[in-house]
């Protein structure tokens, strides 16, 4: 499969630039199983990679020119000079790949230009990290071609910097690390404080279960302010509690911490979500490692309630997916990603997939919502060279 994709992307590159690419790379989108809005609080997350990928055919250049083309956006070849790249100067899709070139150069790596053709199957605006996939595929390609010797987590850090500073979106480190470091058949248990990782075997099919992704088709965008407000609220909470990050508030001391926050109602809710969410990640890891996979369902549902009621980043469409899935027999369900739209995940017995899917589709039709896109997610490989 990836050989055919690599061949097609390489062929288009050759048409565009008149020579074959030096190589072709792929990086996946992700869903997050549990651990939402914990990454910028130094907490725990647990994403896994989707089979959907951003694919890039790339060749080096030595003349300081960066040429970018996307199969998915009708904008022709965009030509830039690497020396001119500057933060927040670009509001188009090209900001993601050029932001990575900028971040690599800023970090002292001599990247002297590139010809790039990109094609992605990661749905954009669906909360499935299409931007991180774009960033990481470029970072990995340039890492290989320019022999920079950077590890996956280092590429993730550079991509996050590209997105924070160059694109101007205040995201955490989860999505880039997922794209760079996930492994097929596993979920990635990541401590976002020091980026230490554990690959947790996650083979639902072998246990007669499935994980569905329900894209509500409600578009979200992280630069639009609400994400940044939540992040600032969490930082305020940490400051009021005298800790470096909310990760440092032990779950056992949550009640005392909430008491100390007094009448800071908004901050109290944010703190409660983050501290309980870190505990939920640890609980899910323990359940998976002890083989009690079905028992993670209720933990996912708890996580959704916390995001809806305390963190307040759900929306009617996401709530409808979760409520309908649970009512029609799913083991668990929650929104995934940044929120305000995008996708939900549903954990279900394999035998119930059709019934749950039908129930969600009918509920959306009855509510007058745009039909959702439902697909099964199998934990897939992280970023890699495919040619
Ligand atoms: C977005 C961000 C991540 C993370 C999630 C919420 O996907 O890019 O860094 O904060 O939202 O968990």
């Amino acid at each position: 499969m990836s050989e055919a994709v690599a061949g097609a992307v390489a062929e288009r590159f050759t048409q565009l630039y008149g020579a074959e690419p030096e190589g072709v790379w792929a990086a996946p989108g992700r869903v997050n199983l549990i651990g939402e809005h914990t990454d910028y609080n130094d907490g725990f997350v647990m994403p896994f990679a989707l089979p959907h990928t951003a694919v890039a055919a790339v060749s080096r250049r030595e003349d300081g020119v960066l040429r970018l083309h996307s199969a998915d956006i009708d904008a022709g070849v965009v030509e830039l000079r690497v020396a001119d790249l500057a933060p927040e100067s670009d509001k188009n899709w090209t900001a993601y790949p050029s932001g990575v070139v900028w971040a690599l150069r800023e970090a002292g790596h001599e990247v002297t230009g590139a010809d790039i053709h990109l094609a992605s199957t990661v749905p954009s605006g669906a909360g499935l990290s299409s931007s991180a996939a774009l960033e990481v595929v470029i970072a990995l390609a340039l890492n290989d071609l320019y022999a920079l010797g950077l590890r996956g987590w280092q590429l993730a850090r550079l991509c996050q910097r590209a997105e924070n500073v160059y694109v101007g979106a205040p995201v955490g480190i989860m999505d880039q690390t997922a794209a760079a470091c996930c492994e097929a058949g596993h979920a990635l248990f990541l401590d976002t404080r020091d980026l230490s990782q554990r690959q947790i075997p996650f083979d639902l099919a072998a246990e007669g279960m499935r994980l569905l992704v329900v894209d509500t088709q409600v578009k979200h965008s992280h630069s639009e302010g609400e994400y940044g407000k939540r992040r600032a609220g969490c930082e305020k909470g940490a400051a009021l509690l005298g800790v470096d990050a909310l990760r440092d508030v032990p779950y056992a001391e949550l009640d005392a911490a909430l008491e100390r926050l007094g009448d800071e109602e908004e901050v109290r809710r944010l703190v409660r979500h983050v501290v309980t969410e870190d505990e939920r990640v640890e609980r899910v890891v323990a359940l998976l490692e002890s083989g009690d996979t079905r028992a993670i369902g209720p933990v996912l549902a708890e996580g959704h309630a916390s995001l809806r009621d305390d963190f307040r980043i759900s929306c009617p469409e996401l709530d409808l997916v979760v409520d309908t899935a649970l009512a029609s027999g799913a083991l668990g369900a929650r929104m995934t990603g940044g929120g305000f739209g995008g996708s939900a995940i549903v954990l279900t017995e394999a035998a119930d997939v059709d019934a749950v899917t039908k129930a969600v589709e009918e509920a959306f039709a009855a509510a007058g919502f745009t039909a959702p896109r439902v697909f099964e997610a199998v934990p897939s490989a992280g970023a890699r060279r495919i040619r």
Side-chain angles (χ1 to χ4, degrees):
M1 194 280 264
S2 74
E3 186 41 46
V5 173
V9 173
E11 195 177 316
R12 184 75 179 111
F13 179 101
T14 308
Q15 285 170 1
L16 286 162
Y17 299 120
E20 286 198 9
E22 289 184 84
V24 182
W25 289 260
R30 61 99 190 92
V31 288
N32 188 18
L33 188 59
I34 189 80
E36 219 66 84
H37 287 265
T38 47
D39 63 351
Y40 50 81
N41 292 297
D42 280 4
F44 304 122
V45 296
M46 212 180 169
F48 66 83
L50 292 170
H52 308 67
T53 55
V55 174
V58 184
S59 288
R60 281 166 294 183
R61 298 180 64 102
E62 288 172 358
D63 59 357
V65 170
L66 176 62
R67 292 196 291 180
L68 301 164
H69 183 269
S70 166
D72 312 306
I73 289 147
D74 191 18
V77 174
V78 176
E79 187 166 326
L80 304 160
R81 297 201 60 81
V82 294
D84 296 342
L85 299 176
E88 304 205 37
S89 60
D90 185 351
K91 294 293 161 211
N92 300 309
W93 71 273
T94 45
Y96 297 101
S98 38
V100 171
V101 173
W102 172 84
L104 284 166
R105 286 171 55 83
E106 272 265 311
H109 303 295
E110 209 187 321
V111 174
T112 52
D115 285 339
I116 297 175
H117 168 61
L118 278 157
S120 181
T121 55
V122 187
S124 76
L128 302 174
S129 293
S130 58
S131 329
L134 273 192
E135 293 156 6
V136 170
V137 77
I138 298 304
L140 182 65
L142 296 173
N143 186 47
D144 284 358
L145 289 176
Y146 281 96
L148 305 178
L150 299 168
R151 313 261 312 263
W153 65 269
Q154 293 173 302
L155 296 177
R157 279 264 188 254
L158 285 163
C159 290
Q160 183 198 18
R161 184 160 152 73
E163 189 149 348
N164 289 168
V165 180
Y166 195 90
V167 177
V171 297
I173 190 71
M174 167 169 69
D175 304 343
Q176 292 78 8
T177 313
C181 301
C182 278
E183 289 179 9
H186 294 78
L188 176 69
F189 175 37
L190 175 71
D191 180 338
T192 63
R193 170 159 277 168
D194 61 5
L195 298 192
S196 58
Q197 320 182 350
R198 203 150 89 219
Q199 300 286 345
I200 311 283
F202 192 57
D203 182 358
L204 291 173
E207 294 186 63
M209 284 173 281
R210 299 285 185 271
L211 196 125
L212 304 176
V213 175
V214 182
D215 174 4
T216 63
Q217 312 262 22
V218 178
K219 297 290 174 198
H220 76 113
S221 162
H222 293 151
S223 13
E224 272 169 17
E226 289 299 324
Y227 183 96
K229 277 190 211 159
R230 298 303 185 287
R231 186 171 179 153
C234 289
E235 281 159 8
K236 182 174 174 191
L240 288 171
L241 292 168
V243 291
D244 286 344
L246 292 182
R247 184 285 179 52
D248 298 311
V249 179
Y251 179 68
E253 290 164 29
L254 176 60
D255 287 344
L258 294 176
E259 192 125 323
R260 281 174 54 205
L261 289 169
D263 58 4
E264 290 277 358
E265 194 43 40
E266 178 65 24
V267 176
R268 284 164 59 107
R269 276 200 297 265
L270 299 178
V271 170
R272 188 163 52 208
H273 167 72
V274 173
V275 176
T276 59
E277 185 79 350
D278 271 338
E279 188 273 339
R280 279 185 286 274
V281 179
E282 295 191 279
R283 227 186 317 153
V284 165
V285 171
L287 288 168
L288 291 179
E289 289 193 327
S290 68
D292 200 359
T293 308
R294 282 179 174 75
I296 74 171
V299 190
L300 305 187
E302 264 177 53
H304 184 77
S306 179
L307 289 162
R308 180 191 63 210
D309 302 335
D310 274 344
F311 221 69
R312 301 196 182 187
I313 55 167
S314 189
C315 66
E317 291 83 351
L318 288 168
D319 291 343
L320 188 61
V321 177
V322 171
D323 294 345
T324 309
L326 293 176
S328 60
L331 296 160
R334 59 180 287 274
M335 54 155 283
T336 188
F340 308 106
S343 299
I345 54 173
V346 176
L347 178 70
T348 168
E349 301 291 352
D352 294 336
V353 166
D354 291 345
V356 170
T357 305
K358 189 160 172 276
V360 170
E361 285 169 351
E362 285 176 359
F364 266 55
F369 295 156
T370 304
R373 211 175 133 252
V374 185
F375 61 91
E376 189 193 327
V378 179
S380 300
R384 66 230 179 246
R385 187 170 191 157
I386 57 173
R387 188 186 187 126

